[in-house]
Amino acid sequence: MTKLTRVTEPTLDVLQVLVGSAAPVWGLALAKGAERAPGTVYPILSRLEDLGWIIGEWEGESDHSGPRRRYYRLTDEGRIEAAALLAARARRPIGVPTPRLAYGISG
């Protein structure tokens, strides 16, 4: 699995929602849970999916109106990586910004 090269607060917020959910989360609900705009969240989801940290699946038949929803869930490896990043965030003193680099990889 590829390591995440850019760790931002919005990325950590998205990972926090995914780690905290036992079931797949649809994109807009994920944005609301992370308290971030969809225009911020969807590129993060795309990047995480490209890295193999999450799997996105389109819903099948649905009773709700509107476009089909895409649901996201962490892979086993993604859950391990996300938990490590979130643990590091929890240990960081309040007011200290998130480092722009993860695992010493520039990006």
XYZ file of all heavy atoms in Angstrom:
820
model
N 0.835 -1.170 0.000
C 0.000 0.000 0.000
C 0.880 1.232 0.000
O 1.914 1.268 0.633
C -0.903 0.030 1.218
C -1.662 1.317 1.261
S -2.743 1.651 2.625
C -3.235 0.124 3.224
N 0.428 2.259 -0.688
C 1.146 3.513 -0.781
C 0.847 4.368 0.439
O -0.282 4.429 0.907
C 0.713 4.271 -2.057
O 0.871 3.403 -3.167
C 1.529 5.511 -2.259
N 1.867 5.035 0.947
C 1.697 5.940 2.083
C 1.095 7.252 1.614
O 1.316 7.691 0.493
C 3.048 6.222 2.754
C 3.722 4.999 3.324
C 3.064 4.564 4.582
C 3.843 3.413 5.205
N 3.226 2.924 6.402
N 0.363 7.891 2.486
C -0.212 9.200 2.218
C 0.903 10.227 2.323
O 1.625 10.273 3.320
C -1.310 9.491 3.237
C -2.171 10.706 3.047
C -2.919 10.611 1.723
C -3.168 10.806 4.178
N 1.083 11.032 1.281
C 2.202 11.973 1.274
C 1.826 13.355 1.774
O 2.695 14.131 2.118
C 2.791 12.115 -0.145
O 1.774 12.555 -1.029
C 3.390 10.802 -0.613
N 0.545 13.664 1.823
C 0.102 14.972 2.308
C -0.990 14.763 3.336
O -2.077 14.308 3.013
C -0.410 15.811 1.146
C -0.486 17.273 1.490
C -0.842 18.088 0.289
N -2.292 18.302 0.351
C -3.040 18.609 -0.685
N -2.518 18.724 -1.867
N -4.322 18.806 -0.549
N -0.672 15.103 4.571
C -1.623 14.920 5.658
C -2.086 16.300 6.117
O -1.321 17.056 6.692
C -0.989 14.147 6.837
C -2.000 13.982 7.952
C -0.469 12.801 6.375
N -3.339 16.614 5.837
C -3.911 17.893 6.233
C -5.001 17.665 7.273
O -5.485 16.546 7.447
C -4.517 18.619 5.012
O -5.586 17.811 4.495
C -3.466 18.846 3.922
N -5.407 18.724 7.937
C -6.498 18.612 8.908
C -7.775 18.083 8.255
O -8.426 17.210 8.826
C -6.747 19.957 9.603
C -5.694 20.306 10.641
C -5.609 19.326 11.801
O -6.660 18.868 12.306
O -4.484 19.001 12.195
N -8.164 18.568 7.061
C -9.356 17.987 6.433
C -9.215 16.488 6.168
O -10.177 15.734 6.344
C -9.492 18.771 5.118
C -8.849 20.084 5.405
C -7.694 19.752 6.321
N -8.028 16.041 5.772
C -7.809 14.612 5.547
C -7.989 13.842 6.841
O -8.650 12.792 6.877
C -6.410 14.359 4.958
O -6.297 15.056 3.719
C -6.158 12.871 4.743
N -7.433 14.354 7.925
C -7.588 13.691 9.221
C -9.049 13.681 9.666
O -9.511 12.695 10.239
C -6.702 14.377 10.265
C -5.196 14.210 10.053
C -4.424 15.098 11.014
C -4.776 12.758 10.189
N -9.778 14.756 9.388
C -11.202 14.795 9.739
C -11.987 13.723 8.974
O -12.847 13.053 9.541
C -11.788 16.174 9.448
C -11.230 17.261 10.363
O -10.687 16.930 11.432
O -11.342 18.445 9.991
N -11.681 13.557 7.698
C -12.338 12.527 6.883
C -11.988 11.141 7.419
O -12.863 10.279 7.576
C -11.946 12.667 5.396
C -12.355 11.438 4.592
C -12.573 13.928 4.809
N -10.722 10.918 7.711
C -10.298 9.621 8.252
C -10.974 9.337 9.591
O -11.354 8.200 9.871
C -8.779 9.569 8.390
C -8.000 9.515 7.077
C -6.502 9.664 7.335
C -8.288 8.235 6.310
N -11.150 10.373 10.412
C -11.800 10.203 11.713
C -13.226 9.694 11.543
O -13.658 8.784 12.251
C -11.807 11.533 12.473
C -12.368 11.431 13.871
C -11.422 10.709 14.803
O -10.260 11.081 14.908
N -11.902 9.674 15.460
N -13.953 10.247 10.586
C -15.332 9.795 10.340
C -15.330 8.351 9.850
O -16.122 7.523 10.312
C -16.043 10.717 9.326
C -17.402 10.155 8.935
C -16.188 12.125 9.890
N -14.431 8.033 8.934
C -14.374 6.667 8.400
C -13.997 5.654 9.474
O -14.580 4.577 9.552
C -13.393 6.604 7.230
C -13.863 7.279 5.947
C -12.697 7.460 4.982
C -14.986 6.491 5.306
N -13.031 5.985 10.317
C -12.610 5.080 11.395
C -13.752 4.880 12.391
O -13.950 3.781 12.910
C -11.339 5.626 12.102
C -11.099 4.934 13.424
C -10.128 5.475 11.199
N -14.517 5.931 12.627
C -15.593 5.862 13.610
C -16.864 5.193 13.120
O -17.803 5.022 13.889
N -16.900 4.803 11.868
C -18.109 4.202 11.315
C -17.905 2.714 11.036
O -16.963 2.329 10.350
C -18.487 4.916 10.014
O -19.625 4.308 9.462
N -18.817 1.908 11.551
C -18.758 0.465 11.292
C -19.289 0.131 9.907
O -18.925 -0.881 9.322
C -19.542 -0.287 12.358
N -20.147 1.000 9.372
C -20.763 0.771 8.064
C -20.176 1.749 7.048
O -19.642 2.793 7.425
C -22.265 0.964 8.167
N -20.276 1.423 5.764
C -19.842 2.386 4.744
C -20.610 3.704 4.879
O -21.765 3.718 5.306
C -20.174 1.687 3.424
C -20.189 0.235 3.762
C -20.728 0.167 5.167
N -19.954 4.796 4.536
C -20.537 6.134 4.675
C -20.642 6.755 3.295
O -19.681 6.737 2.528
C -19.652 7.026 5.569
C -20.291 8.384 5.787
C -19.353 6.345 6.892
N -21.793 7.335 2.968
C -21.917 7.984 1.663
C -21.266 9.353 1.726
O -21.160 9.973 2.779
C -23.331 7.980 1.142
C -24.376 8.768 1.864
C -24.949 8.463 3.067
C -24.995 9.967 1.422
N -25.878 9.391 3.398
C -25.937 10.340 2.400
C -24.866 10.761 0.299
C -26.733 11.473 2.283
C -25.659 11.885 0.182
C -26.570 12.228 1.163
N -20.813 9.806 0.588
C -19.972 10.993 0.493
C -20.494 12.223 1.190
O -19.764 12.870 1.950
N -21.747 12.603 0.962
C -22.274 13.819 1.572
C -22.374 13.681 3.089
O -22.075 14.626 3.827
C -23.624 14.195 0.967
C -24.174 15.562 1.367
C -23.176 16.676 1.060
C -25.492 15.823 0.674
N -22.770 12.517 3.576
C -22.825 12.287 5.021
C -21.424 12.355 5.615
O -21.231 12.856 6.724
C -23.473 10.932 5.321
N -20.451 11.881 4.871
C -19.064 11.939 5.322
C -18.609 13.397 5.429
O -17.959 13.782 6.397
C -18.188 11.173 4.334
C -16.970 10.482 4.904
C -16.541 9.376 3.990
C -15.865 11.416 5.166
N -18.955 14.205 4.434
C -18.598 15.632 4.459
C -19.229 16.317 5.670
O -18.572 17.103 6.366
C -19.032 16.305 3.164
N -20.493 16.000 5.934
C -21.170 16.592 7.093
C -20.528 16.136 8.394
O -20.331 16.931 9.306
C -22.650 16.244 7.073
C -23.402 16.982 5.982
C -24.870 16.605 5.964
C -25.570 17.348 4.836
N -26.997 17.012 4.761
N -20.210 14.850 8.486
C -19.578 14.327 9.689
C -18.207 14.929 9.944
O -17.804 15.143 11.084
N -17.486 15.208 8.885
C -16.155 15.804 8.996
C -16.234 17.324 9.144
O -15.210 17.972 9.372
C -15.316 15.449 7.777
N -17.440 17.869 8.978
C -17.663 19.316 9.029
C -16.784 20.042 8.013
O -16.165 21.065 8.295
C -17.450 19.855 10.443
C -18.424 19.283 11.435
C -18.252 19.817 12.850
O -17.323 20.603 13.102
O -19.072 19.426 13.698
N -16.764 19.474 6.814
C -15.998 20.035 5.696
C -16.903 20.118 4.475
O -17.853 19.350 4.328
C -14.785 19.154 5.363
C -13.786 18.989 6.481
C -13.040 20.263 6.745
N -12.109 20.107 7.861
C -11.220 21.017 8.186
N -11.130 22.137 7.507
N -10.417 20.817 9.210
N -16.584 21.038 3.589
C -17.354 21.205 2.361
C -17.142 20.005 1.440
O -16.037 19.447 1.396
C -16.922 22.487 1.643
N -18.183 19.600 0.712
C -18.018 18.488 -0.230
C -16.879 18.721 -1.219
O -16.185 17.781 -1.592
C -19.370 18.420 -0.943
C -20.337 18.991 0.039
C -19.572 20.074 0.763
N -16.666 19.964 -1.625
C -15.574 20.269 -2.550
C -14.207 20.028 -1.962
O -13.223 19.896 -2.688
N -14.116 19.948 -0.651
C -12.874 19.594 0.038
C -12.788 18.092 0.226
O -11.727 17.490 0.058
C -12.811 20.293 1.416
O -12.820 21.704 1.221
C -11.570 19.880 2.197
N -13.908 17.470 0.569
C -13.933 16.048 0.933
C -13.773 15.127 -0.277
O -13.010 14.154 -0.213
C -15.225 15.726 1.712
C -15.401 14.222 1.907
C -15.211 16.441 3.050
N -14.452 15.406 -1.370
C -14.409 14.475 -2.507
C -13.006 14.307 -3.108
O -12.630 13.178 -3.432
C -15.452 14.843 -3.560
C -16.850 14.441 -3.125
C -17.777 15.396 -2.738
C -17.217 13.107 -3.066
C -19.056 15.030 -2.325
C -18.481 12.727 -2.650
C -19.397 13.689 -2.281
O -20.654 13.306 -1.863
N -12.197 15.351 -3.232
C -10.816 15.111 -3.693
C -10.009 14.256 -2.712
O -9.176 13.448 -3.116
C -10.228 16.521 -3.826
C -11.399 17.407 -4.028
C -12.516 16.790 -3.209
N -10.265 14.423 -1.423
C -9.587 13.596 -0.415
C -9.996 12.140 -0.597
O -9.152 11.235 -0.586
C -9.911 14.093 1.011
C -9.269 15.458 1.250
C -9.458 13.075 2.063
C -9.757 16.161 2.512
N -11.290 11.903 -0.775
C -11.768 10.534 -0.980
C -11.156 9.922 -2.234
O -10.761 8.747 -2.226
C -13.297 10.515 -1.068
C -14.032 10.866 0.222
C -15.522 11.019 -0.040
C -13.766 9.832 1.301
N -11.073 10.688 -3.279
C -10.464 10.198 -4.526
C -9.003 9.811 -4.299
O -8.553 8.757 -4.743
C -10.582 11.269 -5.611
O -9.992 10.827 -6.797
N -8.275 10.662 -3.595
C -6.863 10.381 -3.320
C -6.718 9.131 -2.446
O -5.879 8.268 -2.714
C -6.219 11.599 -2.645
C -4.725 11.500 -2.518
C -4.062 12.817 -2.123
N -4.513 13.354 -0.859
C -5.250 14.456 -0.706
N -5.631 15.159 -1.748
N -5.602 14.872 0.498
N -7.558 9.006 -1.411
C -7.496 7.836 -0.535
C -7.854 6.557 -1.286
O -7.260 5.495 -1.052
C -8.418 8.021 0.670
C -8.021 9.117 1.664
C -9.123 9.300 2.710
C -6.693 8.799 2.330
N -8.797 6.677 -2.202
C -9.184 5.510 -3.005
C -8.040 5.112 -3.943
O -7.734 3.922 -4.091
C -10.453 5.815 -3.787
C -11.122 4.595 -4.348
C -12.519 4.876 -4.879
O -12.918 6.043 -5.025
O -13.216 3.886 -5.156
N -7.398 6.086 -4.562
C -6.256 5.801 -5.448
C -5.118 5.126 -4.694
O -4.398 4.305 -5.259
C -5.745 7.078 -6.100
C -6.692 7.644 -7.148
O -7.625 6.919 -7.573
O -6.504 8.823 -7.525
N -4.954 5.475 -3.410
C -3.890 4.895 -2.593
C -4.239 3.511 -2.048
O -3.395 2.825 -1.483
C -3.562 5.824 -1.418
C -2.926 7.156 -1.772
C -2.849 8.050 -0.537
C -1.549 6.958 -2.377
N -5.511 3.109 -2.186
C -5.929 1.811 -1.666
C -6.323 1.843 -0.203
O -6.479 0.804 0.421
N -6.487 3.035 0.361
C -6.886 3.157 1.766
C -8.382 2.950 1.939
O -8.822 2.525 3.010
C -6.515 4.528 2.305
C -5.063 4.735 2.562
C -4.018 4.277 1.817
C -4.495 5.464 3.629
N -2.835 4.695 2.359
C -3.103 5.434 3.474
C -5.036 6.168 4.700
C -2.239 6.055 4.361
C -4.172 6.800 5.581
C -2.785 6.734 5.416
N -9.169 3.300 0.924
C -10.615 3.146 1.003
C -11.128 2.491 -0.273
O -10.441 2.469 -1.297
C -11.349 4.490 1.219
C -11.157 5.432 0.026
C -10.949 5.143 2.523
C -12.000 6.698 0.096
N -12.333 1.970 -0.167
C -13.039 1.426 -1.319
C -14.347 2.194 -1.432
O -15.071 2.358 -0.436
C -13.321 -0.081 -1.152
C -12.015 -0.859 -1.147
C -14.259 -0.584 -2.239
C -12.175 -2.322 -0.808
N -14.634 2.684 -2.624
C -15.893 3.365 -2.887
C -16.757 2.499 -3.775
O -16.266 1.913 -4.736
N -18.024 2.395 -3.428
C -18.955 1.581 -4.207
C -20.252 2.357 -4.411
O -20.765 2.978 -3.475
C -19.259 0.272 -3.471
C -18.023 -0.585 -3.260
C -18.291 -1.821 -2.430
O -19.174 -1.786 -1.547
O -17.609 -2.818 -2.677
N -20.746 2.307 -5.635
C -22.019 2.942 -5.943
C -23.149 2.103 -5.380
O -23.100 0.879 -5.430
C -22.198 3.097 -7.450
C -21.279 4.118 -8.032
C -20.143 3.884 -8.747
C -21.408 5.536 -7.946
N -19.555 5.065 -9.107
C -20.315 6.099 -8.630
C -22.341 6.391 -7.361
C -20.135 7.480 -8.736
C -22.161 7.755 -7.479
C -21.072 8.278 -8.157
N -24.173 2.771 -4.865
C -25.328 2.040 -4.354
C -26.102 1.425 -5.512
O -26.019 1.882 -6.651
C -26.236 2.960 -3.545
C -27.018 3.959 -4.367
C -27.932 4.839 -3.530
O -28.245 4.482 -2.384
O -28.336 5.888 -4.047
N -26.839 0.388 -5.206
C -27.692 -0.242 -6.207
C -29.019 0.488 -6.274
O -29.085 1.704 -6.139
N -30.082 -0.246 -6.442
C -31.426 0.336 -6.458
C -31.700 1.004 -5.115
O -31.314 0.502 -4.075
C -32.463 -0.758 -6.719
C -32.340 -1.392 -8.087
C -32.700 -0.420 -9.201
O -33.662 0.351 -9.039
O -32.014 -0.440 -10.226
N -32.399 2.140 -5.162
C -32.657 2.878 -3.937
C -34.046 3.496 -3.967
O -34.583 3.790 -5.032
C -31.604 3.968 -3.772
O -31.916 4.777 -2.668
N -34.607 3.714 -2.790
C -35.915 4.347 -2.670
C -35.817 5.872 -2.604
O -36.824 6.556 -2.731
C -36.637 3.847 -1.412
C -37.030 2.390 -1.517
O -37.158 1.882 -2.653
O -37.218 1.762 -0.459
N -34.628 6.408 -2.373
C -34.507 7.864 -2.255
C -34.453 8.504 -3.638
O -34.058 7.886 -4.620
C -33.287 8.261 -1.413
C -31.970 8.033 -2.079
N -31.435 8.925 -2.978
C -31.078 7.026 -1.980
C -30.270 8.469 -3.404
N -30.043 7.320 -2.817
N -34.894 9.755 -3.696
C -34.824 10.473 -4.963
C -33.433 11.080 -5.109
O -32.700 11.207 -4.146
C -35.898 11.563 -5.003
O -35.661 12.499 -3.975
N -33.089 11.427 -6.303
C -31.798 12.049 -6.544
C -30.795 11.070 -7.119
O -31.111 9.899 -7.367
N -29.582 11.552 -7.307
C -28.550 10.700 -7.909
C -28.135 9.553 -6.982
O -28.350 9.614 -5.766
C -27.388 11.660 -8.156
C -27.633 12.821 -7.271
C -29.103 12.892 -7.034
N -27.547 8.543 -7.587
C -27.039 7.418 -6.788
C -25.959 7.915 -5.837
O -25.207 8.829 -6.150
C -26.414 6.348 -7.693
C -27.396 5.552 -8.467
C -26.758 4.371 -9.173
N -25.537 4.745 -9.886
C -24.587 3.892 -10.237
N -24.705 2.619 -9.954
N -23.526 4.296 -10.889
N -25.872 7.272 -4.713
C -24.865 7.619 -3.714
C -23.659 6.705 -3.864
O -23.780 5.548 -4.240
C -25.438 7.465 -2.313
C -26.558 8.417 -2.022
C -27.156 8.154 -0.667
N -28.199 9.117 -0.376
C -29.021 9.039 0.648
N -28.927 8.016 1.488
N -29.937 9.958 0.836
N -22.508 7.241 -3.539
C -21.282 6.447 -3.503
C -20.910 6.291 -2.032
O -20.791 7.277 -1.300
C -20.170 7.131 -4.275
C -18.933 6.265 -4.435
C -18.106 6.737 -5.630
N -16.846 6.054 -5.729
C -16.655 4.897 -6.344
N -17.677 4.293 -6.926
N -15.466 4.341 -6.407
N -20.742 5.047 -1.615
C -20.417 4.732 -0.227
C -18.936 4.379 -0.116
O -18.387 3.702 -0.981
C -21.268 3.559 0.269
C -22.701 3.949 0.503
C -23.633 3.935 -0.530
C -23.121 4.350 1.768
C -24.954 4.308 -0.306
C -24.446 4.718 1.992
C -25.346 4.693 0.953
O -26.644 5.070 1.175
N -18.329 4.816 0.975
C -16.895 4.622 1.188
C -16.661 3.881 2.490
O -17.343 4.102 3.498
C -16.185 5.980 1.254
C -16.332 6.775 -0.012
C -17.391 7.667 -0.187
C -15.428 6.628 -1.056
C -17.542 8.387 -1.355
C -15.576 7.345 -2.234
C -16.629 8.222 -2.377
O -16.771 8.923 -3.533
N -15.656 2.996 2.448
C -15.232 2.291 3.662
C -13.723 2.104 3.606
O -13.127 2.036 2.529
C -15.929 0.949 3.806
C -15.593 -0.040 2.719
C -16.284 -1.389 2.954
N -16.054 -2.275 1.850
C -14.956 -3.006 1.675
N -13.980 -2.946 2.559
N -14.816 -3.789 0.619
N -13.118 2.042 4.771
C -11.676 1.813 4.855
C -11.352 0.368 4.529
O -12.096 -0.549 4.901
C -11.159 2.116 6.264
C -11.093 3.588 6.650
C -10.980 3.731 8.156
C -9.927 4.274 5.955
N -10.236 0.155 3.852
C -9.706 -1.195 3.695
C -9.038 -1.564 5.023
O -8.831 -0.702 5.891
C -8.671 -1.256 2.564
O -7.575 -0.397 2.894
C -9.268 -0.864 1.225
N -8.693 -2.818 5.199
C -8.003 -3.221 6.433
C -6.701 -2.450 6.596
O -6.390 -1.945 7.679
C -7.720 -4.725 6.427
C -8.995 -5.556 6.550
O -10.032 -5.020 7.007
O -8.959 -6.745 6.174
N -5.934 -2.335 5.518
C -4.662 -1.607 5.570
C -4.907 -0.120 5.794
O -4.172 0.536 6.528
C -3.869 -1.816 4.279
C -3.436 -3.250 4.038
C -4.518 -4.091 3.338
O -5.580 -3.546 2.948
O -4.298 -5.298 3.185
N -5.934 0.418 5.158
C -6.276 1.820 5.342
C -6.664 2.131 6.775
O -6.317 3.182 7.318
N -7.371 1.196 7.400
C -7.765 1.386 8.801
C -6.535 1.444 9.705
O -6.459 2.280 10.609
C -8.705 0.263 9.241
C -9.275 0.456 10.629
C -10.411 -0.517 10.916
N -11.539 -0.356 10.029
C -12.487 0.582 10.164
N -12.413 1.435 11.150
N -13.486 0.654 9.321
N -5.554 0.614 9.441
C -4.317 0.621 10.234
C -3.575 1.944 10.054
O -3.146 2.573 11.031
C -3.425 -0.573 9.837
C -4.074 -1.884 10.282
C -2.015 -0.425 10.414
C -3.465 -3.126 9.675
N -3.428 2.377 8.810
C -2.722 3.627 8.523
C -3.476 4.823 9.109
O -2.865 5.729 9.688
C -2.543 3.808 7.015
C -1.665 2.765 6.360
C -0.197 2.870 6.751
O 0.239 3.942 7.214
O 0.511 1.871 6.591
N -4.801 4.839 8.949
C -5.604 5.938 9.479
C -5.498 6.001 10.995
O -5.355 7.084 11.568
C -7.061 5.776 9.050
N -5.562 4.850 11.655
C -5.463 4.817 13.118
C -4.122 5.378 13.587
O -4.064 6.114 14.580
C -5.654 3.390 13.626
N -3.051 5.073 12.859
C -1.733 5.596 13.228
C -1.686 7.117 13.084
O -1.157 7.813 13.967
C -0.651 4.946 12.367
N -2.237 7.639 11.992
C -2.247 9.091 11.793
C -3.118 9.788 12.835
O -2.749 10.848 13.359
C -2.747 9.434 10.390
C -1.804 9.126 9.235
C -2.494 9.399 7.906
C -0.525 9.937 9.354
N -4.257 9.195 13.150
C -5.145 9.807 14.135
C -4.555 9.739 15.541
O -4.743 10.658 16.342
C -6.518 9.148 14.081
C -7.288 9.410 12.780
C -8.523 8.525 12.705
C -7.647 10.880 12.636
N -3.818 8.681 15.835
C -3.138 8.588 17.133
C -2.067 9.672 17.244
O -1.913 10.302 18.293
C -2.522 7.201 17.312
N -1.345 9.907 16.151
C -0.332 10.963 16.146
C -0.994 12.325 16.330
O -0.465 13.194 17.021
C 0.468 10.920 14.850
N -2.154 12.508 15.714
C -2.894 13.770 15.870
C -3.299 13.967 17.321
O -3.202 15.070 17.853
C -4.136 13.741 14.982
C -5.023 14.957 15.136
C -6.389 14.681 14.537
N -6.920 15.822 13.824
C -8.111 15.841 13.271
N -8.883 14.772 13.298
N -8.546 16.905 12.653
N -3.747 12.911 17.975
C -4.191 13.000 19.365
C -3.033 13.338 20.312
O -3.247 13.986 21.334
C -4.849 11.686 19.782
N -1.827 12.911 19.965
C -0.652 13.185 20.804
C -0.076 14.581 20.590
O 0.715 15.049 21.387
C 0.442 12.156 20.533
C 0.103 10.752 21.004
C 1.313 9.831 20.929
N 1.894 9.751 19.604
C 1.576 8.850 18.671
N 0.638 7.955 18.934
N 2.169 8.839 17.509
N -0.478 15.226 19.499
C 0.065 16.543 19.166
C -0.498 17.584 20.133
O -1.696 17.611 20.382
C -0.330 16.890 17.730
C 0.433 18.020 17.132
C 0.125 18.202 15.663
N -1.267 18.588 15.462
C -2.120 17.958 14.682
N -1.755 16.906 14.004
N -3.357 18.363 14.556
N 0.357 18.440 20.683
C -0.140 19.486 21.581
C -1.129 20.402 20.855
O -1.011 20.642 19.657
C 1.121 20.267 21.967
C 2.253 19.327 21.705
C 1.806 18.462 20.569
N -2.089 20.903 21.583
C -3.098 21.800 21.012
C -2.397 23.026 20.426
O -1.494 23.593 21.027
C -4.117 22.223 22.085
C -4.906 20.997 22.534
C -5.046 23.313 21.568
C -5.843 21.235 23.672
N -2.822 23.412 19.240
C -2.275 24.590 18.585
C -1.089 24.314 17.687
O -0.649 25.183 16.951
N -0.563 23.085 17.728
C 0.557 22.734 16.858
C -0.017 22.266 15.529
O -0.849 21.362 15.495
C 1.436 21.622 17.485
C 2.518 21.172 16.522
C 2.033 22.102 18.787
N 0.382 22.890 14.425
C -0.186 22.504 13.131
C 0.219 21.098 12.722
O 1.233 20.566 13.154
C 0.382 23.537 12.151
C 1.590 24.071 12.822
C 1.365 23.941 14.307
N -0.603 20.504 11.858
C -0.315 19.187 11.305
C 0.887 19.287 10.387
O 0.944 20.169 9.532
C -1.508 18.678 10.484
O -2.639 18.638 11.325
C -1.240 17.301 9.910
N 1.880 18.414 10.550
C 2.999 18.433 9.604
C 2.497 18.171 8.192
O 1.579 17.398 7.989
C 3.886 17.279 10.077
C 3.436 16.955 11.446
C 1.999 17.378 11.546
N 3.081 18.825 7.203
C 2.665 18.654 5.815
C 3.175 17.343 5.246
O 2.731 16.900 4.208
C 3.178 19.814 4.954
C 2.684 21.163 5.379
C 1.256 21.396 5.064
N 1.071 21.441 3.622
C -0.094 21.422 3.032
N -1.185 21.360 3.755
N -0.212 21.471 1.735
N 4.098 16.714 5.906
C 4.678 15.480 5.387
C 4.353 14.326 6.326
O 4.372 14.487 7.533
C 6.198 15.604 5.252
C 6.694 16.766 4.417
C 8.215 16.775 4.431
C 6.191 16.654 2.996
N 4.098 13.190 5.746
C 3.879 11.974 6.528
C 4.960 10.974 6.174
O 5.242 10.756 5.005
C 2.497 11.392 6.234
N 5.532 10.392 7.193
C 6.527 9.345 6.990
C 7.739 9.832 6.169
O 8.365 9.059 5.473
C 5.905 8.130 6.292
C 4.712 7.587 7.041
C 3.433 7.800 6.570
C 4.886 6.875 8.216
C 2.346 7.313 7.261
C 3.796 6.395 8.906
C 2.539 6.609 8.423
O 1.460 6.128 9.108
N 8.028 11.124 6.219
C 9.230 11.630 5.570
C 9.180 11.637 4.045
O 10.207 11.758 3.408
N 7.999 11.516 3.465
C 7.864 11.510 2.012
C 7.351 12.879 1.590
O 6.367 13.363 2.136
C 6.878 10.419 1.548
C 7.358 9.053 2.020
C 6.713 10.452 0.039
C 6.351 7.957 1.816
N 7.994 13.498 0.657
C 7.528 14.808 0.218
C 6.429 14.644 -0.821
O 6.332 13.635 -1.484
C 8.675 15.628 -0.361
O 9.183 14.993 -1.517
N 5.605 15.675 -0.944
C 4.550 15.561 -1.941
C 3.806 16.783 -2.134
O 3.137 17.487 -1.736
